[in-house]
Amino acid sequence: MMKAVCLVVLFAISITSQARSIIQKPQPNPNFKINSTNHQNARTCSFTVEITTSCSSVRYTRDQISISFGDAYGNQVYAPRIDDPSTMTFERCSGDTFEIYGPCTYQICYLYLYRSGYDGWKPERVDVYGYNTRAVSFYYNVWIPANIWYGFNYCSPYLSASNYD
């Protein structure tokens, strides 16, 4: 009887250890491009972005940090240089809030961060709140590599060629 219980427990542990997390880890995206299309006719919307820096990050970073996020229909919000070394933005164990303006979006499904510099930086999470979209959180908790867009794209399964017609 004891052997049977041990086998069941080992089997359960084996299955559990093979389960895949549904929370994706951030990935580099060397093909990511900023949409330089002129948005003259696009409505402008306000987005609140809250970035929490990990307690295991450097004390503060002087690196240049940019952000881009958007929806599955090609609406992209881009904010270069959200950092401000004079105010110690992105200090360890802290949160920073930004008001970012860009084209209105549907549900935000991707977010990338770009870091250039030598200090390093480890964000814990990024929350985005917008007018026409539910709040969305992107969990990083990893060091952002330098000079490459790094983040999440949950749009892919929903994209089709007709989304860009």
Side-chain angles (χ1 to χ4, degrees):
M1 180 67 169
M2 186 61 145
K3 287 182 183 180
V5 170
C6 287
L7 280 174
V8 169
V9 170
L10 285 174
F11 181 72
I13 290 172
S14 172
I15 289 174
T16 305
S17 67
Q18 292 175 0
R20 297 175 69 159
S21 171
I22 59 170
I23 298 175
Q24 179 183 351
K25 294 191 182 304
Q27 300 291 319
N29 187 344
N31 299 319
F32 184 74
K33 302 277 187 251
I34 296 302
N35 185 352
S36 59
T37 305
N38 190 346
H39 296 286
Q40 286 179 343
N41 296 327
R43 276 189 25 226
T44 299
C45 285
S46 169
F47 298 87
T48 300
V49 176
E50 296 176 356
I51 300 177
T52 305
T53 297
S54 170
C55 292
S56 59
S57 187
V58 294
R59 191 165 74 90
Y60 69 94
T61 188
R62 296 166 295 186
D63 293 353
Q64 298 176 6
I65 309 292
S66 300
I67 188 170
S68 183
F69 55 88
D71 63 23
Y73 300 96
N75 300 303
Q76 182 185 73
V77 179
Y78 169 60
R81 297 292 315 263
I82 58 174
D83 58 283
D84 184 358
S86 67
T87 62
M88 296 176 83
T89 309
F90 306 124
E91 190 174 15
R92 178 190 306 152
C93 291
S94 70
D96 296 285
T97 302
F98 305 91
E99 198 72 22
I100 298 174
Y101 295 90
C104 298
T105 66
Y106 293 99
Q107 184 58 47
I108 294 166
C109 56
Y110 73 84
L111 184 140
Y112 289 100
L113 296 170
Y114 188 91
R115 180 186 71 80
S116 60
Y118 300 101
D119 290 344
W121 178 52
K122 185 178 181 182
E124 188 170 297
R125 81 187 233 188
V126 179
D127 300 316
V128 181
Y129 306 89
Y131 167 73
N132 198 29
T133 181
R134 289 186 316 273
V136 61
S137 296
F138 296 90
Y139 296 90
Y140 278 82
N141 208 28
V142 295
W143 294 95
I144 302 297
N147 304 318
I148 191 163
W149 287 100
Y150 194 74
F152 301 87
N153 184 349
Y154 295 121
C155 304
S156 300
Y158 309 107
L159 288 180
S160 69
S162 65
N163 288 348
Y164 293 103
D165 291 344

